[in-house]
Amino acid sequence: MRMRTWAFCLNEANLNLLRNPVLAIASITTTAVSLLVLGVFALLSLNINTITTSLENQVAVRAFFNQKTSTVQEALELKTVRSWRDVRQASVITKAQALQQLKKEFGSQASVLDSLGTANPLEDSLTVTATTPRAVAAIAKQLNAMPGVVRVSYQSAVVTRLFDLVDGVRIAGLVLGALLLLGALLIIHNAIRLGIVSRRREIGIMRLVGATESLVHWPFILEGLILGLIGSVFASGICYWLYVAAYQGAAHSLPFLPMVAPNPTARDVSLMLIVLGVLLGAIGFRLSVRRLARV
Amino acid sequence: MISLRNVTKTYPNGVHALRGVELEVAKGEFTFLVGPSGAGKSTLLRLLFREEVATSGVVMVNGHDVGRIPLRRIPHLRRQIGVVFQDFRLLPQRTVFDNIAFALRVIEASPHDIHKRVEKMLELVGLSDRQRALPAQLSGGEQQRVTLARAMVSRPLVLLADEPTGNLDPANAQEIMRILLEFNRQGTTVIMATHAAQLVDRARQRVVEMEDGAIRRDELSAAYHEGVVR
């Protein structure tokens, strides 16, 4: 089509939007809200993912030796462990060091440990951190098989629970987002249908004077795209702005929280929302094609 | 230019609108289609611009086998045919100028071309001074003149008019008739379905009379009623 024909179609689409402003606003609002929810959940789950990963990285595996294990053997085993793949760091903590650590953690209440006298019920241990979170379980298993090791412990419960949380947030976001998107889609579809009905006369005359079907379709395609685009630009802008605000707020009051930086992640999510919005408009039109053919 | 061979049309509700119609219309001819309501006049016209498809038989317009033309070619067929109805069918929110220009915009004419041709048509139908008016501000006769201008602005080879004077008083009907004959004089083939006996009698053109879906009479320079000689 020629440039002026695009201008003609755009003009027809605009006329239609202006003729049904209430429905246009409803379409834009529902599109914006549903995309915003989707965007917020996407960023939320991305962040929980990062937090989980970073926590997992900090998880150390501790293998406790029985009392009879000699210092020499412990040193040998430490050497073996350090040679494993996926081991970032490994060190032996003697029971004396462990007791020292415990006293430190008890702080002002450390005096309760005085009742132990000179006895130290603790065991020597080997502390290992992994290079990747996924290797933690495997390392624990290997440690367990080593001579002199009585038990192995690592904070698996926290990590598992966080992973569950990520999955939960992701599923909730997807379900909620999908339902809202469906609602937005139906409202856009309805706006286009109403446009078709209210423009029956134009469509009839266009066909009568020899307009091609694509020329009959384009004003409605553009209408769908414009509705989707405006809605998604709102959603995208609000989503990005909210995230930057949250990020700055968190950096100030929760500096230990490893949040994902707004760029490029939030920017990409925002751009994705625009793509989704436009897609929504296109599908909204596609659903109306049959109605258009019957005019 | 136009030929119908053994054309029948049966609507899905079982109504036999046309039964074995045979008709030839030469290029540049003016033909009145007369007969009682329900005789099949409108159906015949609708077959010509592919608003309907014949149940059987062949409909040819300017070399196109209208019934077998692929869907994507229909717009090109329609650009060769101007159509005018009794109920005008103007776009109420657009000015007279825009209503006429609409027909050229959808076939992607250049703005310069649109301006030139619309102006010329306005002059031809005598509405140059009303081009900024909206249809609602026009009389019935003026509205029908706008639809005539819209139908003719893309210079079709054929003009189909389905009771174009049905809603007009005699003076306005006369004016529409004058314009139709003028288009015909300039070379356009015109087929006009009508009940206006006076107009037919005065014009003395070919008259094709239909009854019950078939052609009953086909006479050159004839009157509305059979056997009437003036």
Side-chain angles (χ1 to χ4, degrees):
Chain A
M1 285 199 300
R2 291 164 200 267
M3 205 54 217
R4 57 172 171 270
T5 310
W6 285 110
F8 172 83
C9 290
L10 202 59
N11 188 41
E12 294 295 301
N14 269 329
L15 276 179
N16 200 18
L17 289 177
L18 296 177
R19 244 179 259 176
N20 299 309
V22 175
L23 207 54
I25 290 167
S27 310
I28 290 168
T29 324
T30 41
T31 307
V33 170
S34 55
L35 288 173
L36 185 60
V37 167
L38 216 60
V40 165
F41 271 95
L43 286 170
L44 201 60
S45 91
L46 277 172
N47 270 294
I48 298 177
N49 227 353
T50 321
I51 293 168
T52 318
T53 308
S54 88
L55 280 178
E56 225 179 14
N57 273 331
Q58 292 163 18
V59 169
V61 186
R62 280 184 95 175
F64 295 92
F65 293 111
N66 63 26
Q67 301 273 7
K68 283 173 282 179
T69 314
S70 69
T71 320
V72 179
Q73 196 184 347
E74 285 171 10
L76 271 174
E77 291 189 5
L78 176 63
K79 216 177 153 197
T80 315
V81 170
R82 280 179 172 162
S83 74
W84 290 347
R85 258 172 13 125
D86 301 330
V87 169
R88 188 167 54 194
Q89 216 183 7
S91 57
V92 170
I93 296 172
T94 62
K95 56 185 185 178
Q97 286 168 323
L99 188 63
Q100 212 48 42
Q101 179 68 30
L102 202 59
K103 279 183 175 162
K104 216 155 88 192
E105 279 169 18
F106 272 45
S108 58
Q109 278 134 29
S111 56
V112 293
L113 295 173
D114 293 346
S115 60
L116 289 171
T118 53
N120 181 350
L122 301 176
E123 296 145 333
D124 288 348
S125 68
L126 190 55
T127 303
V128 182
T129 52
T131 49
T132 81
R134 308 278 164 203
V136 169
I139 290 171
K141 209 170 160 193
Q142 277 176 290
L143 284 173
N144 212 11
M146 296 190 87
V149 171
V150 282
R151 65 197 165 86
V152 174
S153 87
Y154 63 103
Q155 239 66 49
S156 66
V158 180
V159 175
T160 319
R161 215 174 292 163
L162 270 169
F163 266 125
D164 287 349
L165 184 63
V166 176
D167 284 345
V169 168
R170 206 174 284 153
I171 291 168
L174 276 177
V175 169
L176 196 62
L179 284 175
L180 285 166
L181 277 181
L182 189 69
L185 183 67
L186 290 178
I187 291 178
I188 289 183
H189 166 54
N190 219 33
I192 294 174
R193 268 174 57 108
L194 198 75
I196 290 171
V197 172
S198 73
R199 272 170 46 85
R200 271 193 317 257
R201 190 181 275 265
E202 269 98 336
I203 295 168
I205 293 168
M206 283 173 94
R207 286 186 173 137
L208 190 67
V209 297
T212 55
E213 279 306 290
S214 73
L215 192 71
V216 173
H217 285 195
W218 268 106
F220 298 104
I221 299 175
L222 289 179
E223 187 187 351
L225 295 184
I226 290 170
L227 288 174
L229 186 68
I230 297 176
S232 63
V233 165
F234 274 120
S236 168
I238 295 171
C239 184
Y240 186 77
W241 175 79
L242 272 180
Y243 189 75
V244 170
Y247 182 77
Q248 283 166 351
H252 187 68
S253 55
L254 305 163
F256 55 87
L257 206 64
M259 268 180 89
V260 184
N263 284 314
T265 308
R267 188 196 62 204
D268 289 351
V269 167
S270 300
L271 290 178
M272 275 304 296
L273 293 186
I274 293 183
V275 172
L276 258 178
V278 169
L279 210 65
L280 211 60
I283 300 170
F285 165 76
R286 189 68 194 77
L287 293 175
S288 320
V289 166
R290 274 211 333 216
R291 182 75 192 78
L292 193 52
R294 275 187 285 125
V295 169
Chain B
M1 172 59 60
I2 292 170
S3 94
L4 284 82
R5 288 195 210 108
N6 199 19
V7 171
T8 63
K9 173 66 187 175
T10 307
Y11 285 107
N13 61 5
V15 172
H16 299 286
L18 295 177
R19 310 162 187 262
V21 170
E22 300 271 347
L23 182 68
E24 296 280 338
V25 177
K27 190 170 187 304
E29 213 172 352
F30 193 110
T31 308
F32 283 115
L33 216 49
V34 303
S37 297
K41 303 187 296 294
S42 293
T43 300
L44 195 154
L45 293 180
R46 290 152 69 90
L47 290 180
L48 296 179
F49 64 99
R50 181 61 194 261
E51 181 70 18
E52 298 285 350
V53 180
T55 310
S56 69
V58 179
V59 177
M60 300 289 290
V61 175
N62 195 31
H64 300 285
D65 185 341
V66 177
R68 285 183 188 79
I69 201 169
L71 285 179
R72 59 182 179 80
R73 296 287 304 168
I74 292 176
H76 298 274
L77 169 77
R78 294 197 178 154
R79 290 173 194 190
Q80 299 168 17
I81 304 174
V83 189
V84 179
F85 302 95
Q86 181 175 359
D87 59 355
F88 316 144
R89 302 196 191 173
L90 293 170
L91 301 171
Q93 289 104 331
R94 289 166 212 249
T95 63
V96 167
F97 186 97
D98 283 338
N99 262 285
I100 301 169
F102 192 76
L104 293 174
R105 292 208 172 102
V106 302
I107 60 171
E108 308 189 50
S110 75
H112 175 73
D113 215 20
I114 290 175
H115 204 81
K116 222 172 57 187
R117 282 156 77 173
V118 173
E119 297 267 290
K120 199 174 152 230
M121 283 317 291
L122 281 166
E123 208 175 300
L124 232 152
V125 299
L127 288 173
S128 296
D129 54 336
R130 306 302 312 267
Q131 56 175 299
R132 298 274 153 247
L134 291 174
Q137 299 164 327
L138 302 178
S139 72
E142 287 171 326
Q143 291 191 42
Q144 191 60 298
R145 281 190 268 155
V146 177
T147 65
L148 268 172
R150 183 181 64 199
M152 290 303 296
V153 75
S154 53
R155 302 191 191 122
L157 301 165
V158 181
L159 179 62
L160 306 176
D162 195 355
E163 300 197 29
T165 61
N167 283 342
L168 305 178
D169 61 59
N172 274 308
Q174 205 44 248
E175 176 61 12
I176 296 299
M177 195 62 222
R178 183 192 68 75
I179 295 167
L180 285 170
L181 287 167
E182 173 59 25
F183 286 139
N184 178 242
R185 202 185 55 75
Q186 293 178 4
T188 312
T189 309
V190 180
I191 302 181
M192 170 175 170
T194 188
H195 291 292
Q198 271 196 329
L199 292 179
V200 176
D201 290 345
R202 197 168 305 163
R204 300 222 69 86
Q205 299 284 348
R206 178 181 178 185
V207 173
V208 173
E209 185 180 341
M210 296 189 70
E211 194 182 325
D212 203 16
I215 291 176
R216 214 186 130 252
R217 170 172 67 113
D218 186 351
E219 273 185 298
L220 292 175
S221 61
Y224 187 87
H225 296 288
E226 193 172 7
V228 176
V229 181
R230 280 170 18 117

